[in-house]
């Protein structure tokens, strides 16, 4: 993605918001994803459809725009952190209104919201490293207005003693920077189609993520099935090979049988696509 001149902050803020929406939409449409909503169907979900995911993504454009405007060229401080938290919670309410009360993108609002804010803090010009490090600084600051009620993800994180979405952001998105982006670039360089490269990036995330969505629905059995199956896809050559596609199909069947859906990994894939588009220099960052 080519951002505009720094003299046009409003245009850049709009572009960041639209890019975040597009990344959510592209993630939702990507197929075939194991256990997740995609262009084939609803995966392991009874209450989600692709149309609903697309409507949810569209409903979040005003939130991402507000985050970009409020964060433009500002330092990471508690005042901004609390503004970002308030706008994120307002975005959740807009999402719930658009989906009839279905949680489609709560985790993605957290991850992409931080990254949109970080990009705006840099005036739309950041490397992948500086973008994710700035997002980490913001995520590590306190928000006095944050709700005290635990989400399903937080409950799973505490129950199984594993890091969750909060820690992922506070650590500068290691699954994006160390696994997904390098895999995305390697797969592209190896001749995979864009869809295949994105699926490989998703598999890279799934090889080690403690996905609290999976843990909530299928416990440690589901998580181990996800991680082992994703490794098998990549070891078979990735989604651009017949062997990798067969391994992906096996993983999909196992995830559906366990009613497991790697929603956390999907959120991080959308975050990966955002970093890839906003930081074109990423294409030269990994060998």
């Amino acid at each position: 993605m080519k951002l505009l001149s720094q003299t046009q902050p409003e245009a850049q803020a709009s572009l960041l918001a639209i890019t975040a929406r597009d990344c959510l939409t592209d993630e939702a449409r990507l197929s075939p994803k194991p256990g997740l909503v995609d262009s084939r169907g609803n995966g392991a979900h009874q209450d989600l459809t692709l149309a609903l995911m697309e409507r949810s993504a569209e409903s979040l454009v005003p939130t991402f725009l507000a985050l970009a405007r409020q964060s433009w060229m500002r330092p990471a401080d508690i005042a901004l952190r609390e503004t970002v938290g308030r706008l994120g919670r307002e975005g959740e309410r807009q999402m719930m209104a658009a989906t009839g009360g279905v949680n489609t993108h709560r985790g993605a609002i957290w991850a992409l919201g931080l990254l949109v804010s970080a990009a705006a803090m840099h005036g739309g010009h950041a490397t992948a490293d500086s973008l994710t490090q700035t997002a980490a600084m913001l995520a590590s600051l306190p928000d006095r207005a944050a709700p005290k009620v635990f989400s399903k993800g937080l409950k799973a994180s505490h129950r199984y003693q594993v890091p969750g979405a909060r820690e992922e952001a506070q650590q500068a998105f290691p699954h994006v920077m160390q696994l997904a982006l390098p895999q995305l670039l390697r797969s592209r360089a190896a001749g995979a189609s864009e869809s295949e490269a994105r699926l490989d990036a998703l598999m890279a995330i799934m090889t080690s993520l403690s996905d609290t969505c999976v843990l909530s629905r299928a416990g440690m059995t589901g998580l181990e099935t996800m991680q082992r199956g994703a490794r098998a896809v990549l070891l078979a050559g990735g989604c651009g090979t017949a062997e990798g596609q067969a391994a992906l199909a096996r993983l999909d069947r196992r995830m559906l049988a366990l009613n497991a859906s790697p929603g956390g990994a999907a959120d991080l894939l959308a975050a990966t696509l955002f970093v890839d588009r906003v930081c074109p220099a990423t294409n030269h960052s990994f060998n």
Side-chain angles (χ1 to χ4, degrees):
M1 183 185 89
K2 184 178 180 182
L3 291 177
L4 306 175
S5 158
Q6 280 186 295
T7 60
Q8 300 174 302
E10 181 61 24
Q12 288 202 43
S14 297
L15 191 52
L16 287 170
I18 294 301
T19 300
R21 178 206 63 190
D22 289 349
C23 291
L24 289 176
T25 302
D26 287 349
E27 181 281 314
R29 292 174 178 168
L30 182 65
S31 303
K33 300 193 302 288
L36 288 160
V37 173
D38 59 21
S39 62
R40 302 170 303 160
N42 303 348
H45 297 276
Q46 300 300 315
D47 56 350
L48 298 180
T49 65
L50 180 56
L52 193 68
M53 300 294 286
E54 292 173 338
R55 186 158 74 244
S56 172
E58 188 65 40
S59 77
L60 292 172
V61 172
T63 295
F64 293 135
L65 179 58
L67 285 165
R69 285 171 171 164
Q70 290 294 321
S71 303
W72 192 260
M73 300 297 288
R74 284 182 61 177
D77 56 25
I78 291 176
L80 179 58
R81 172 67 184 90
E82 293 187 342
T83 297
V84 167
R86 174 178 57 80
L87 291 172
R89 290 186 289 275
E90 290 174 2
E92 287 185 14
R93 289 191 286 272
Q94 292 172 353
M95 173 195 74
M96 291 292 196
T99 63
V102 179
N103 173 21
T104 43
H105 283 126
R106 181 173 287 150
I109 293 172
W110 167 250
L112 278 173
L114 286 167
L115 291 170
V116 166
S117 292
M121 291 163 71
H122 283 277
H125 298 273
T127 65
D129 281 329
S130 63
L131 181 69
T132 52
Q133 290 293 335
T134 298
M137 284 192 291
L138 202 54
S140 298
L141 292 169
D143 178 2
R144 290 169 296 182
K148 302 299 188 286
V149 178
F150 275 17
S151 66
K152 286 184 179 180
L154 269 176
K155 288 177 181 176
S157 182
H158 280 259
R159 178 182 176 186
Y160 294 100
Q161 295 295 293
V162 297
R166 180 181 299 174
E167 291 78 14
E168 177 74 20
Q170 290 173 343
Q171 293 167 17
F173 295 96
H175 283 84
V176 171
M177 294 299 295
Q178 298 170 26
L179 295 174
L181 268 175
Q183 184 63 61
L184 182 71
L185 300 177
R186 281 196 301 269
S187 294
R188 285 173 177 164
S193 70
E194 185 61 20
S195 291
E196 291 163 350
R198 292 174 182 178
L199 285 168
D200 286 347
L202 177 63
M203 293 301 108
I205 295 167
M206 289 167 57
T207 59
S208 75
L209 184 69
S210 299
D211 195 312
T212 54
C213 295
V214 172
L215 285 169
S216 294
R217 296 170 70 100
M220 286 303 299
T221 298
L223 187 68
E224 290 166 1
T225 297
M226 177 193 82
Q227 293 178 347
R228 188 167 54 247
R231 285 193 290 269
V233 173
L234 294 178
L235 286 171
C239 298
T241 69
E243 294 84 355
Q245 291 165 12
L248 180 62
R250 286 194 296 272
L251 176 57
D252 190 27
R253 290 192 295 271
R254 289 168 183 158
M255 297 292 279
L256 291 175
L258 291 168
N259 194 38
S261 176
D267 294 338
L268 290 179
L269 176 61
T272 300
L273 299 180
F274 182 83
V275 175
D276 180 58
R277 291 180 194 179
V278 173
C279 306
T282 300
N283 295 323
H284 309 289
S285 299
F286 305 103
N287 297 310

